[in-house]
Amino acid sequence: MRILLTGSSGWLGRFLAPRLREVGHQVLGLDVAPGADTDMIGSVADRATVDAAFAHGIDAVIHAGALHKPDIVRYPIQTFVDVNVTGTLNLLEAARIAGHDRFVFTSTTSLMISQTIRDEAGDAAIWLDEASGPLAPRNIYGVTKLAAEGLCRLYAADHGIGCMVLRTARFFPEDDDTHATPSGENLKANEMLHRRLTVEDAAEAHIMALDRAPELGFDTFILAAPTPFNRSETAELKHDAAAVISRHFPDAAELYARRGWTLPASIGRVYDSGHAERRLGFRCRTGFSEVLDALREDRALPFAHDPSYLSPKEMRPA
């Protein structure tokens, strides 16, 4: 198929575009910033740009382009609405006119985090799955991504487009990657227990969603490395996470100590990706076990770490 990939210059796009080609698809990359896998420069907020992309004979869309949480300090609310909501509508409407049967939308677990959840003030870790709610996003990023999810649901119901909504946990460079104590790598390793996946796994999930969309119709999936924890451990995770981790991974503390790392003392939320495994058939290849394997064997960590990363759109001349 010929796939329109939005956000092709971004962190996910640079991994996803090559994988799409490897599995036999042609890729037309669309982004506001140039990149190795970007063929068209423009915004999805502009319907003429979307129509020009579809003129290339597009068979399906993977909509990974968006304004993200770090962009809140850089762009006004209206720009978030234009890009994340109107841009998604433009793509869905073009897909409807073209008669597409599949559409993959990159969403975020961030929209599930209300201020109360973010504060993590309760006596137990909060267990989050696709049934969690009511949803009350705490910022314009989450609000607009939730609205875009609603558009996907609407177009699936009204027009029969198989829409896969992928709520990705953290897989991209974060502000805390530059921390010294604990280090960014230490933080990433800890998050593989409950709220992170690798960018490579995120890319693979999109490919599987593209394949399964017509069959599944519409669904929403949390994407995160499989957690070793279960709901009965949420209180203990909040008060003594290291003890729970050691129960599941007896040598974790020793392996961490060799590297000068620290296990989390408390875990306040856990993302459950079980629905993606059961219904979509997708399970991340890399999790906390693979991190510990790398520490045991003194080899490279199994996740990308780039504290100097800057979104390509922020590198454009003013």
Side-chain angles (χ1 to χ4, degrees):
M1 290 187 294
R2 188 165 181 79
I3 309 300
L4 173 60
L5 173 63
T6 71
S8 52
S9 296
W11 183 249
L12 175 60
R14 67 174 63 180
F15 289 85
L16 180 51
R19 281 294 294 136
L20 283 166
R21 289 193 293 267
E22 285 177 10
V23 298
H25 297 297
Q26 294 178 299
V27 180
L28 181 74
L30 172 63
D31 204 298
V32 296
D37 296 295
T38 294
D39 306 286
M40 292 183 62
I41 303 296
S43 172
V44 293
D46 176 37
R47 181 56 192 269
T49 296
V50 171
D51 288 343
F54 270 72
H56 288 265
I58 299 302
D59 300 306
V61 175
I62 296 180
H63 182 26
L67 288 184
H68 297 280
K69 184 171 63 175
D71 295 316
I72 291 173
V73 298
R74 305 173 184 136
Y75 297 92
I77 285 177
Q78 185 61 57
T79 306
F80 271 84
V81 174
D82 294 343
V83 173
N84 292 358
V85 183
T86 303
T88 303
L89 177 60
N90 286 340
L91 290 163
L92 284 165
E93 184 62 9
R96 178 192 68 80
I97 293 170
H100 287 183
D101 64 353
R102 68 196 75 200
F103 187 98
V104 179
F105 176 61
T106 310
S107 191
T108 173
T109 53
S110 180
L111 63 79
M112 304 175 68
I113 309 304
S114 65
Q115 190 59 50
T116 299
I117 293 175
R118 187 173 189 271
D119 291 342
E120 297 180 352
D123 292 329
I126 299 166
W127 195 271
L128 293 164
D129 60 19
E130 292 80 0
S132 298
L135 300 179
R138 70 187 187 279
N139 55 41
I140 190 60
Y141 171 53
V143 166
T144 53
K145 294 298 273 189
L146 182 58
E149 286 191 5
L151 289 171
C152 290
R153 177 185 52 78
L154 188 65
Y155 270 72
D158 290 352
H159 305 296
I161 302 175
C163 290
M164 300 287 95
V165 173
L166 305 183
R167 289 182 183 167
T168 58
R170 292 154 72 102
F171 67 85
F172 43 84
E174 302 274 355
D175 292 342
D176 53 22
D177 288 356
T178 59
H179 284 192
T181 307
S183 69
E185 290 180 325
N186 188 168
L187 288 172
K188 275 191 170 72
N190 291 350
E191 289 177 349
M192 294 298 285
L193 286 159
H194 64 112
R195 60 178 300 193
R196 180 172 283 277
L197 72 162
T198 67
V199 65
E200 293 88 352
D201 277 332
E204 293 301 321
H206 282 71
I207 290 171
M208 182 165 288
L210 183 71
D211 291 341
R212 300 284 315 275
E215 169 194 352
L216 298 181
F218 174 82
D219 213 335
T220 301
F221 301 101
I222 289 174
L223 298 183
T227 182
F229 309 132
N230 57 69
R231 290 176 187 263
S232 67
E233 297 173 309
T234 54
E236 193 176 0
L237 282 170
K238 186 63 184 294
H239 298 287
D240 191 359
V244 183
I245 296 166
S246 294
R247 185 161 64 240
H248 288 276
F249 305 98
D251 63 343
E254 178 186 352
L255 293 169
Y256 263 49
R258 291 179 193 171
R259 190 126 183 171
W261 286 2
T262 56
L263 290 170
S266 175
I267 289 176
R269 72 185 84 149
V270 178
Y271 296 135
D272 181 352
S273 59
H275 181 58
E277 185 169 353
R278 292 185 297 271
R279 180 157 161 80
L280 182 61
F282 176 78
R283 179 183 174 91
C284 290
R285 293 182 179 179
T286 301
F288 191 69
S289 292
E290 287 68 31
V291 172
L292 294 185
D293 287 342
L295 295 180
R296 289 188 193 97
E297 298 165 16
D298 195 26
R299 53 181 171 79
L301 294 168
F303 52 75
H305 179 68
D306 185 1
S308 64
Y309 176 80
L310 182 66
S311 171
K313 71 179 186 303
E314 303 310 316
M315 299 171 64
R316 294 176 296 163

